[in-house]
Structures are given as C-alpha cells and as structure tokens.
Amino acid sequence: MRTFPIFVSFDGSPPLVVGGGQLAAVKARLLLKRADLVDVAADALAPELAALVNAGKAVQLANRPGIDEIRGRPLVISATEDEDEDARVAAIARDLGVPVNVPDRPALCTFALPAIVDRGEVTVAIGTSAAAPVLAQRVRAWLEHELHPRIGDLAKLAGSFRARVAEALPEGPLRRRLWEGIFDGPAAEAMLRGDEVAAHALIGEEIDRAAASSRQVDGSVQGRVILVGAGPGDPELLTLKAVRALKAADVVFYDKLVGEGVLELARREAELIPVGKAKGAHSVPQAEINALLVARAKAGETVVRLKGGDPFIFGRGGEELDALRAGNIAIDVIPGITAGAAAAASLQIPLTHRDVSHTVTFVSGHEAGGKAPSFEHLDLTALASGNNTLVVYMGVTTGAVIARRLLDAGFREQLPVIAVENASRANERRAATTIAALAGDPEGLGLRSPAVLIFGEVAGLPHAGAVETILSHQEVARAYA
C-alpha cells in the first residue's frame, strides 16, 4: 500500500467512526485533535466514547451505517473489530469515493493513519505505508524531542501577519525571502523563548524594512545568485548552508556531475534547469550560462548555480563570478567538497602525510579540446623529487599520456596510482596501478568519468580495509568490456 501524504480539513461534514469499542474510542480521540465533532456509529459505546457523547464532542448514530450515512464524509474509520462489517463499510466508502481506513487491514484501506507530532499550528505526520507502524512511532518520538515546543506558537504568530505582508510585498521571491529571514532571525528566537511582545515588534520591523528596500532606484526587483558546491555526488556531503540555499531557490542551474539525490533537496517549486558540460560536449556554452544567471537574478529571482564538487576548483566558478559582478548582481558562494578530497576519504588515505607527502597539487587532466595537459605551468621535476601528491581531475582518457609525461619528468616507475570513479556514490569504482603500468597501457584505466587519479606515495599506504575492493585497471577494463 503506497500512500501520498495530505492534510484533510474537517470544516464540513464530521468524520465518521464505525464501532463502539475501545479501538474505536482511540480513533475518535485522535480525530478530535483537529475535528470539532465526530460521529460514531454503534449500538453500544465503550465508556470513553460515551463520555465524548455526553461532553458534546461525539454524536451516536445507528449501527451498520449505509450509503446515506457515509456519503460526503471527509473520511471514515471502521473499527468494529468485526471482519465482515469492516469489509462492508470499506466497500461502501470506496464506491462513494470516501477515504476509508480499517485498522490493521491495509487491503481495505484507501488511506493510512500516520503517527502525529502535534505542535498546534504545526503538525508533522509520519507514515510507512502501513508497513512498519512501530518504526513510525520511533520517528515520532525523535521528532517530539527535536521540535521546539513553541514552534506552533511561532506559526500562529506568523499567520497573524500574512495580510500585512501581502500588502507590503508582491507574491514571489521577495515575500518568501522575508519569511526566511523572520524564521531564521531574532523574531523567531524571541517567540521560541516565550517573548511574544518582542517577536511581534521584530516581525513588524522586518516587514517595514523589506518593503522599504524591495525595489531599486529604477523600480526593478533585484534578485541574487548563490554559487553552491554540490560535492562529489553523495547528498549527505552537502553543507547545511548548501541545503538552505536549495530550499530558498526559485531556479537551479545544475551541472552534469550533480547527483540526483542532491536535486531532491531543492525547493519543490524550484525550476530545475540542466546546463551540464562533459568532456567535448558542452550542452550549454559558458557564456550562455553566465547570461542566464544574470537575467534570472535581474528578474528578482533567487538563483542557485549548483556545481559538482567545489565551484572554484575546475568548476569555472570564477568566470561566472566575473559575469555576475559585471552585472551588479548580489552573490553568495558556498564551498563544496571537491572530488579529490572525497576520493581520498573514500579510500581512507591522506592526501598529505608527514612521512611521505608534504604538499598536494590539484591539476586538470585535459586542456581545451580534450587534449592531454602539457603541464607547462608546473615544475614536474621538482614534484618528482618526492613528498608530493598529485591529484588529476578529468584524466581518465588522458591517463596514459599523463603518466608518460610524469615519467619523462623523473617520477619513479613504481610510484603508486589510484583512480576513483564516482567517488562517494553508490556506483563508485576504483583501480590501482603504477605510473609505469599506466603509461604502457594505451587503453588507459578502463574507468569512466567522473574520476580522479591520485599519484603519489600516499596511494600505496594501507587502505584501512578497502584494499580488497580495489581492482587493477586491467580488471576494471575487462568488467566494462
């Protein structure tokens, strides 16, 4: 039973509980957290249900409700504990299109009752599609501990300002940015510590400030661009700041290397636009990307430029930064974990080590047009003297050429090399070799991009239990054949 979470309004007809026992009483009590009144269909009522009727919170109807009693209900819970009667009620409800739940009989249900965290105006519902209700209860217990007891009061206070905000700011990014500032700022802090007077005043000040600065001199709305490092692909390696940026975005321009799990964290309403580039295949030219970023920000939107790894390590973030500054666009930069660091972490080897590597150098494995790098800007002879780690990005297809150039510069033939494809992702692959073996193999590593190559003595250090997962590059090539 797969379910989609929704919240049901009880402003019209009251919900119906069928059954008069203690199980029905439990369900009626749950519904009364949000419903003003519950109808109960049963001949005899358990003491708790009878007390609800006497208190005016429930109305007793005749047993065995039919079509007229079920039609138009927001939902029905059949808890008679009589299999035949529960099946009869469920069948009627289904025919009428009324949502129905029968406890512990998912085949008869069209909705599942979630575990609920109740904070007044803030309600959290946890469901497992009826597969593991005890797990849902455990998640609820965790959320009960994590959610501030006054978060519902904060939501209620914010609701009292909605009309004023609507008058002060147009619907869209500016209004959402105001609310983000309120919930992240001193107004929310004041409310959560119980100072409603201070919170009320601070929200008013925030609204006035936002209204006064909402428009530039020329009358156009100004947006902003956030350059976000998406890391190597594992969404758990994103920074908290990066996640907040994704939740605030109106539009996200993302690279080919960004993992799908990362995009799942974007705001549901955000427009997701791929502008990915791969070696030799630029789907959107860089100049066009720059123009898009500027245009959308000038339209008043919060733009996230989501780049694999770190924006400023072989990510052309500097070019985008220059274009945004030239367009007088407000810019934020959020760094990300670069692929070289992620690969080393996955292998559990250090890029620097006091005994074998005092420096680390990051280089690109190809130049414009996909050619192997000449490394003219590097003193390869000095690097060959030892105590250095060389991390090559995008060097899968040029690995053999790079290895020969390193050998020509004096790197020792048996220097260890490890290549890591899709570092940090579920489909990560690794290949271990030496510079000499790599230089002599015209087919290269047999891996696919995105991958990084780590040259240096650190690549020969013990790999903390990961050695058995590392294949020779010939074995990887055969696996892909």
Side-chain angles (χ1 to χ4, degrees), residues 228 235-247 265 334-335:
V228 177
E236 292 189 0
L237 293 180
L238 283 174
T239 65
L240 293 175
K241 197 170 184 180
V243 174
R244 287 197 295 270
L246 287 169
K247 297 298 184 187
L265 296 171
I334 300 175

Side-chain angles (χ1 to χ4, degrees), residues 8 50 57 80 84 99 106 111 116 198 238-239 254 322 384 408 445 448 462:
V8 178
K57 295 182 178 180
T80 68
D84 292 338
F111 76 93
I116 295 173
L238 283 174
T239 65
Y254 64 93
D322 291 341
D408 291 343
L445 286 161
R448 297 171 179 170

Side-chain angles (χ1 to χ4, degrees), residues 227 307-319 321 325 333:
L227 299 180
K307 306 177 74 68
D310 182 272
F312 293 160
I313 297 183
F314 306 120
R316 303 187 73 170
E319 298 172 48
L321 198 67
R325 286 173 175 163
V333 179

Side-chain angles (χ1 to χ4, degrees), residues 449-461:
S449 291
V452 294
L453 284 67
I454 301 176
F455 294 79
E457 301 296 345
V458 297
L461 294 173

Side-chain angles (χ1 to χ4, degrees), residues 121-190:
E121 299 298 317
V122 175
T123 305
V124 182
I126 306 109
T128 60
S129 294
V134 173
L135 177 60
Q137 297 294 333
R138 292 175 68 89
V139 175
R140 181 183 71 176
W142 176 73
L143 286 172
E144 289 277 12
H145 179 267
E146 292 295 319
L147 285 179
H148 197 287
R150 294 196 183 97
I151 195 170
D153 297 331
L154 174 61
K156 186 175 182 179
L157 177 64
S160 69
F161 280 93
R162 287 178 63 87
R164 180 172 169 184
V165 170
E167 292 179 2
L169 295 170
E171 185 175 359
L174 291 178
R175 193 182 297 179
R176 191 177 63 257
R177 209 173 299 159
L178 165 69
W179 286 118
E180 289 168 354
I182 289 172
F183 292 134
D184 288 337
E189 293 176 4

